[in-house]
Amino acid sequence: MVFGSGARLFAGAVVGVCLLLLGPSVPVGSLFAGSSKPADTARDAVPNRVMTWNLCNPCDVGSVDRAAEIAAHAPQVLAVQESCVGDVKRIRDYLEGRYGLDYHVEYGSVLQNWGRCGGVPWNPGGYGQAILSAAPMTDVVTAEYPDGGSEDRGYMAVTTTVDGQSVRVFNTHLAERRQESVRAEQVRVFAPEVAKYDRAIVLGDFNAVPYAAELAPMWKLATDADPACRPSSSGTCETTTDWQSKFDYIFLRGGITALSHHVRPTEASDHHPFYADLDLASRS
């Protein structure tokens, strides 16, 4: 009995030290994720499906819940915002170990933040965007906007495969809601980068409703995967947030069309996963 009590105390101390070093974004259960048995049979990503999702940070949501939400839709390409490098690594491990979904990952961190992402004080975790793709990614670009507003913000881009076609994919997160002028400057930086490509998929949290003036340059370049959503207050855009606003977009450029689109409410974030099944083959 004494030995058993001591072992439990030792185990508790180990967990406490791990939490102290890794930081508040790490769920206790994930410390022992490697011992979990697969919960579902293996599956493949949907080859023409792309998805954008702001993970919400800081939020009291574990990597297990986030992985389950992603696995339910199994996109070929997933763009996430407000993501910690450590959290994305754990999500990726859960997707492979529990659901048989194998993703490549690239990071577009713009902050090193111990309070958000844990790590050790002298090497805090990276925070920003990430792209997960079932196919390899090349020509990776990551950039920070000159002015992030109240928090550093940026964008990233990769070349990968969607619907059997090579395509440029962007992921961005613009400044917070009440910072219109900052977002306008960010779009002035971002839109010309998108315009360099005849065909592109642009994913992200733009923190602006469709008819916001700062999004006008994006609408000149592309259309949203939601065909009823257009840059006017009369559009019938599906909302993507808990506060009933459309902030998350799948912009399509160069003849790429959406066969279907879906917004799925979730308790795992204050943003809802927004995904679309695309047709790229007609421009091959």
Side-chain angles (χ1 to χ4, degrees), residues 37 58 79 83-84 86 89 112-113 124 142 169 182 212 249 278:
K37 295 181 179 179
S83 65
C84 293
K89 288 180 178 178
Q112 301 296 312
N113 192 304
T142 63
V169 177
V182 177
Y249 295 83
L278 307 180

Side-chain angles (χ1 to χ4, degrees), residues 48-137:
N48 66 334
R49 180 169 294 171
V50 299
M51 179 169 130
T52 184
W53 191 22
N54 184 313
L55 296 181
C56 184
N57 184 310
C59 281
D60 188 19
V61 179
S63 299
V64 174
D65 296 323
R66 288 167 170 157
E69 189 71 57
I70 295 164
H73 313 304
Q76 172 80 357
V77 172
L78 167 67
V80 292
Q81 305 86 38
E82 294 194 19
S83 65
C84 293
V85 170
D87 288 342
V88 172
K89 288 180 178 178
R90 283 183 287 275
I91 290 168
R92 182 188 180 199
D93 288 345
Y94 282 125
L95 287 168
E96 182 178 7
R98 293 194 169 201
Y99 304 102
L101 288 164
D102 187 13
Y103 286 102
H104 304 265
V105 63
E106 295 289 347
Y107 299 97
S109 299
V110 293
L111 285 172
Q112 301 296 312
N113 192 304
W114 187 88
R116 283 187 184 270
C117 297
V120 291
W122 56 91
N123 187 24
Y127 172 79
Q129 293 77 241
I131 294 178
L132 292 84
S133 174
M137 291 175 277

Side-chain angles (χ1 to χ4, degrees), residues 4-201:
S5 176
R8 287 192 297 272
L9 288 172
F10 177 76
V14 170
V15 171
V17 170
C18 289
L19 289 174
L20 178 63
L21 291 175
L22 294 174
S25 65
V26 181
V28 173
S30 69
L31 296 175
F32 305 101
S35 64
S36 300
K37 295 181 179 179
D40 286 333
T41 56
R43 67 187 73 171
D44 294 325
V46 181
N48 66 334
R49 180 169 294 171
V50 299
M51 179 169 130
T52 184
W53 191 22
N54 184 313
L55 296 181
C56 184
N57 184 310
C59 281
D60 188 19
V61 179
S63 299
V64 174
D65 296 323
R66 288 167 170 157
E69 189 71 57
I70 295 164
H73 313 304
Q76 172 80 357
V77 172
L78 167 67
V80 292
Q81 305 86 38
E82 294 194 19
S83 65
C84 293
V85 170
D87 288 342
V88 172
K89 288 180 178 178
R90 283 183 287 275
I91 290 168
R92 182 188 180 199
D93 288 345
Y94 282 125
L95 287 168
E96 182 178 7
R98 293 194 169 201
Y99 304 102
L101 288 164
D102 187 13
Y103 286 102
H104 304 265
V105 63
E106 295 289 347
Y107 299 97
S109 299
V110 293
L111 285 172
Q112 301 296 312
N113 192 304
W114 187 88
R116 283 187 184 270
C117 297
V120 291
W122 56 91
N123 187 24
Y127 172 79
Q129 293 77 241
I131 294 178
L132 292 84
S133 174
M137 291 175 277
T138 60
D139 303 318
V140 179
V141 170
T142 63
E144 185 174 339
Y145 291 120
D147 182 2
S150 57
E151 178 181 85
D152 293 353
R153 295 288 163 91
Y155 68 89
M156 60 185 300
V158 304
T159 298
T160 189
T161 302
V162 177
D163 193 26
Q165 305 295 313
S166 178
V167 65
R168 195 65 171 168
V169 177
F170 291 83
N171 178 18
T172 191
H173 187 193
L174 300 190
E176 293 179 351
R177 279 182 275 176
R178 297 175 183 85
Q179 300 175 40
E180 293 86 350
S181 61
V182 177
R183 287 197 301 274
E185 290 301 318
Q186 292 171 347
V187 172
R188 288 190 185 99
V189 172
F190 183 57
E193 296 301 315
V194 176
K196 292 176 181 178
Y197 296 86
D198 293 334
R199 194 164 65 155
I201 300 168

Side-chain angles (χ1 to χ4, degrees), residues 197-201 221-223 251-257 279-280 282-283:
Y197 296 86
D198 293 334
R199 194 164 65 155
I201 300 168
L221 294 173
T223 58
F251 282 116
L252 306 175
R253 172 170 168 79
I256 302 172
T257 58
D279 178 12
L280 283 75
S282 61
R283 286 291 302 272

